[in-house]
Amino acid sequence: MGSLVVLTCMLLCLLLRPSAPQKPAPEGVLNCCEGDVLFLLDSSGSVSSYEHSRMLIFLSELLLPFSLGEDQVRVGLLQVGTQPRLEFGFDTYKTQSGLQGTLRDIKPLRGDTNTVEALRMAKEWVLRPGAANGARAGLPRVLVWLTDGVKPGDVIGPMAELREEGVAVLVVSTGHGNYQVLRQVVTPPVENHLYFVDIDDMSIITEDLRDAIIGEYGTCELTVSPFIFILPPTEIIRAERIQVRDVSSNSATLQWRPVLSGLTGYYEIRFGSLPTGGVGGGGGGGTGTSPSTEGVQYQRLTQSADASTVRLTGLKPDTTYTATLKPESNEQLFNALSVTFTTKPEVLSPAVVTVSESGQTSVRVSWGPLQPETVTSYYIEYSALPRGKLHATTVGRTQNSTLLRDLQPDTTYLVTVSARYASGKEKAMSVKACTQEVTPALADLQLTTVGSDSVQVDWKASVPSLRGYWLTWEAQQSSVSGERWRQEV
């Protein structure tokens, strides 16, 4: 009986013992990138079994946060020995579970450090776009070399060829020799792409190396005496997964690269205005606190797995918003993507009114900008100056011009366009429009020849308000055919 009690207590202790917490993936890494990363792992005789296992553990932790797949990050592993061997290529793993299992079982090659041959394989095969199991065309390519720094070989030339082809080269050395060689092979800036670390302390550079592969570091200085150049941040495999377009004063479109294609799930979108002066601003409806920005009141939307855009409406003018997109699926884990944008200042319509197509009895009046989301209709009033009869017409919210008819010739009109908003507001703008005068037709036009090179023109002048005439004539059958003359009378 006592043994049974002891066994029961042991089972309870095992069941109730808290499991080791899993290290969360760094925010902003999953679903953030797209590119092909090849790891060149030194497993020659100068690397002990212990050192080899520590390098593989380092790779496992380094790669764990990344989303793998055709539209994500792809990784390959090329081991360096007497006969270098590709352990797995870019097309091999699309899930972390398969990759992590393989990394635990890889055995060292031993033999000589034939890095030059491994680089030839990388250049002619693995990192060549379009090759079988090779890199994808048009996407970033990265080579990360993990070495003990012992007898690296004549690698400067082959590494330079890779860099010239657009491959970003990063180096991690667990030894402390051959600094001059290693600094020459990495892609600038050296301080972000070359790491020296003891084998037991590799974990301290995990985050920095991951950021370097992604491209998450700021500006750096390049000195070419006597000048100092400030280089902008470099992004290697970071992809623009989410962006904002068509931003207006009260709306914006959120667009993202679909990652749920072929999966069951949905997208959750949360957006809200950033707090000003410590007070959170509302996004126009909905309540809650955004997980990415503490204290922000947000609205929540959902979109189907095949969606790639959503229109955010009800926003406030000239306000900074944060929007967070979270792909949700039971089949694969994705992190949230966030973006910040500012709406445009409010410009109430009509902000401009113009007149065109002026005739004797009509003119066209146009206005803008169109704001069909907030305007219900436009009301146009017009009357002849100084005290003519008032006329009015109403047009729909999607119309930005109208033709005013049955006007008096040679008359100045005052035209007022008023926008009627759903909120009850009204905004008006006025402009003067002039119709054209009526030009009387000539009567009794007569031509009389008075010589070999002259003609008399007679007509009846019946309008006393005219100030004069322009007389134009043209030769049709002479050596000067086509020429025209004009005279004021």
Side-chain angles (χ1 to χ4, degrees), residues 110-126:
R110 303 302 180 201
D112 296 331
T113 309
N114 196 353
T115 309
V116 174
E117 174 61 18
L119 291 175
R120 186 194 65 79
M121 294 173 59
K123 178 178 180 293
E124 297 181 1
W125 172 26
V126 189

Side-chain angles (χ1 to χ4, degrees), residues 50 88 98 207 214 236 246 268-269 277 281 303 408 414 454 471:
Y50 173 75
F88 54 86
E207 185 174 348
I214 296 171
I236 301 180
D246 300 334
E268 181 185 64
I269 300 98
Q303 294 289 101
Q408 295 298 316
L414 180 65
S454 60
L471 185 63

Side-chain angles (χ1 to χ4, degrees), residues 177-322:
N178 292 300
Y179 171 76
Q180 292 300 327
V181 173
L182 298 182
R183 75 180 303 275
Q184 290 184 63
V185 304
V186 298
T187 299
V190 174
E191 58 268 25
N192 293 110
H193 293 163
L194 176 58
Y195 299 85
F196 287 91
V197 62
D198 291 334
I199 192 67
D200 290 319
D201 296 327
M202 295 189 74
S203 60
I204 67 175
I205 68 166
T206 302
E207 185 174 348
D208 289 340
L209 180 60
R210 187 186 299 125
D211 289 346
I213 295 173
I214 296 171
E216 289 188 335
Y217 50 81
T219 60
C220 62
E221 291 186 359
L222 174 64
T223 302
V224 182
S225 182
F227 305 104
I228 298 178
F229 299 93
I230 303 298
L231 301 180
T234 302
E235 294 187 348
I236 301 180
I237 64 170
R238 173 170 291 282
E240 189 176 13
R241 295 289 186 180
I242 185 172
Q243 57 181 328
V244 180
R245 58 178 179 83
D246 300 334
V247 179
S248 68
S249 60
N250 53 24
S251 63
T253 296
L254 194 65
Q255 184 176 30
W256 60 90
R257 296 190 60 178
V259 295
L260 295 180
S261 300
L263 303 175
T264 58
Y266 62 92
Y267 295 99
E268 181 185 64
I269 300 98
R270 298 184 179 188
F271 63 99
S273 58
L274 292 178
T276 302
V279 179
T287 59
T289 302
S290 170
S292 60
T293 308
E294 184 178 356
V296 173
Q297 298 297 308
Y298 65 84
Q299 288 180 270
R300 179 181 180 273
L301 302 172
T302 58
Q303 294 289 101
S304 61
D306 58 353
S308 61
T309 63
V310 67
R311 188 69 177 169
L312 310 181
T313 59
L315 309 182
K316 295 180 180 180
D318 198 19
T319 302
T320 299
Y321 284 84
T322 180

Side-chain angles (χ1 to χ4, degrees), residues 139-439:
L139 291 179
R141 293 169 294 160
V142 183
L143 176 68
V144 181
W145 181 21
L146 279 74
T147 176
D148 62 355
V150 178
K151 298 181 180 179
D154 188 12
V155 297
I156 295 178
M159 287 290 196
E161 292 177 0
L162 285 171
R163 295 197 309 274
E164 289 173 0
E165 293 186 0
V167 178
V169 178
L170 294 80
V171 175
V172 176
S173 177
T174 58
H176 298 282
N178 292 300
Y179 171 76
Q180 292 300 327
V181 173
L182 298 182
R183 75 180 303 275
Q184 290 184 63
V185 304
V186 298
T187 299
V190 174
E191 58 268 25
N192 293 110
H193 293 163
L194 176 58
Y195 299 85
F196 287 91
V197 62
D198 291 334
I199 192 67
D200 290 319
D201 296 327
M202 295 189 74
S203 60
I204 67 175
I205 68 166
T206 302
E207 185 174 348
D208 289 340
L209 180 60
R210 187 186 299 125
D211 289 346
I213 295 173
I214 296 171
E216 289 188 335
Y217 50 81
T219 60
C220 62
E221 291 186 359
L222 174 64
T223 302
V224 182
S225 182
F227 305 104
I228 298 178
F229 299 93
I230 303 298
L231 301 180
T234 302
E235 294 187 348
I236 301 180
I237 64 170
R238 173 170 291 282
E240 189 176 13
R241 295 289 186 180
I242 185 172
Q243 57 181 328
V244 180
R245 58 178 179 83
D246 300 334
V247 179
S248 68
S249 60
N250 53 24
S251 63
T253 296
L254 194 65
Q255 184 176 30
W256 60 90
R257 296 190 60 178
V259 295
L260 295 180
S261 300
L263 303 175
T264 58
Y266 62 92
Y267 295 99
E268 181 185 64
I269 300 98
R270 298 184 179 188
F271 63 99
S273 58
L274 292 178
T276 302
V279 179
T287 59
T289 302
S290 170
S292 60
T293 308
E294 184 178 356
V296 173
Q297 298 297 308
Y298 65 84
Q299 288 180 270
R300 179 181 180 273
L301 302 172
T302 58
Q303 294 289 101
S304 61
D306 58 353
S308 61
T309 63
V310 67
R311 188 69 177 169
L312 310 181
T313 59
L315 309 182
K316 295 180 180 180
D318 198 19
T319 302
T320 299
Y321 284 84
T322 180
T324 301
L325 175 77
K326 182 69 168 67
E328 297 284 359
S329 175
N330 292 328
E331 303 176 43
Q332 190 171 342
L333 177 64
F334 297 94
N335 75 321
L337 299 177
S338 297
V339 65
T340 301
F341 64 95
T342 301
T343 52
K344 293 182 178 179
E346 185 174 29
V347 179
L348 293 178
S349 179
V352 59
V353 178
T354 59
V355 176
S356 62
E357 302 178 22
S358 178
Q360 296 174 357
T361 60
S362 64
V363 294
R364 178 169 293 277
V365 179
S366 305
W367 56 89
L370 273 179
Q371 295 175 330
E373 296 177 347
T374 55
V375 173
T376 59
S377 63
Y378 292 96
Y379 184 68
I380 299 93
E381 297 177 306
Y382 57 100
S383 61
L385 294 175
R387 291 182 296 275
K389 181 181 178 181
L390 183 64
H391 303 271
T393 183
T394 302
V395 300
R397 61 182 180 178
T398 60
Q399 192 168 330
N400 68 342
S401 72
T402 188
L403 187 65
L404 306 181
R405 306 175 186 273
D406 301 325
L407 307 181
Q408 295 298 316
D410 194 19
T411 303
T412 301
Y413 283 81
L414 180 65
V415 182
T416 302
V417 179
S418 301
R420 294 174 171 174
Y421 286 81
S423 62
K425 292 182 180 180
E426 283 196 15
K427 183 188 177 184
M429 179 171 283
S430 299
V431 66
K432 289 183 180 180
C434 299
T435 53
Q436 296 183 7
E437 63 181 345
V438 177
T439 304

Side-chain angles (χ1 to χ4, degrees), residues 13-81:
C13 290
L14 289 173
L15 291 174
L16 295 177
R17 184 180 62 185
S19 58
Q22 186 176 7
K23 185 177 181 180
E27 184 179 358
V29 175
L30 293 174
N31 189 31
C32 72
C33 307
E34 187 174 19
D36 296 325
V37 184
L38 177 64
F39 290 90
L40 196 65
L41 178 62
D42 187 354
S43 65
S44 63
S46 63
V47 178
S48 68
S49 297
Y50 173 75
E51 291 172 330
H52 185 262
S53 65
R54 294 298 301 172
M55 287 184 180
L56 290 176
I57 293 173
F58 171 72
L59 283 183
S60 175
E61 295 177 352
L62 178 73
L63 294 175
L64 181 61
F66 288 102
S67 293
L68 307 179
E70 189 60 32
D71 295 325
Q72 306 281 345
V73 175
R74 303 191 312 172
V75 297
L77 179 62
L78 179 59
Q79 287 211 97
V80 179

